[in-house]
Amino acid sequence: MKGTVVYYSKWGNCEQVAQAIERGLEESGQDVSLVEARSVQGLGGDLEFLVVGSPTRVGKMAGPVRKFIKREITGDWSGRPFAAFGTKMGSPGEKGKPESAYDINRALTEKGLEPVAGPFEATVSGMKGRLTEGALDLAFQFGKEVGEALRGQGLSV
Ligand SMILES: Cc1cc2nc3c(=O)[nH]c(=O)nc-3n(C[C@H](O)[C@H](O)[C@H](O)COP(=O)(O)O)c2cc1C
């Protein structure tokens, strides 16, 4: 199945997470590319799934990702599968804090897309990082999980 990972990153943490998720998707047999949110100009019509991620900005996704969703996710994406991820400060597994992955999940669900897994959140230990230990392994696993869920839907490559 053909899809893309779209992300924004100011200090490179969310980018590393996006790359690890891309590797996990590839590992599970998906045909996936990686693209920075501001450089997307027209998602190819042959894309079948989307994975979108952002650093947390005051409990929400960052502006470039919000703009990407507003600009690029048109009605014909309705019903297609997606997964959301994000980076945030805090402890791994900490729940209940508003953050980007859930904001993206909500925005894409409102556009009619169907979540296949997640959302996935990776934590950074300070404003500019670094990612907490094990975060990239978990991101890789998440990519695999998304890839396998896509196959489970009968949408395999
Ligand atoms: C203006 C601003 C607001 C932020 N607000 C939050 C927040 O509400 N919650 C949080 O956990 N982290 C917050 N952060 C920290 C970011 O989540 C962190 O810088 C980011 O995840 C690092 O990823 P990046 O290197 O890909 O940019 C904020 C950072 C900035 C610059």
Side-chain angles (χ1 to χ4, degrees), residues 40-107:
V40 178
Q41 288 186 349
L43 286 168
D46 56 344
L47 290 182
E48 295 158 285
F49 73 89
L50 201 58
V51 180
V52 181
S54 171
T56 299
R57 287 284 180 276
V58 202
K60 298 201 149 93
M61 70 180 100
V65 177
R66 186 174 306 286
K67 285 183 192 147
F68 156 76
I69 291 173
K70 190 170 178 201
R71 193 177 68 234
E72 303 288 347
I73 307 303
T74 48
D76 56 348
W77 271 92
S78 187
R80 287 196 242 174
F82 84 95
F85 66 98
T87 53
K88 62 168 189 175
M89 291 191 293
S91 324
E94 187 183 5
K95 294 284 175 204
K97 257 177 78 173
E99 56 107 359
S100 54
Y102 288 89
D103 193 28
I104 294 167
N105 206 68
R106 184 194 46 72

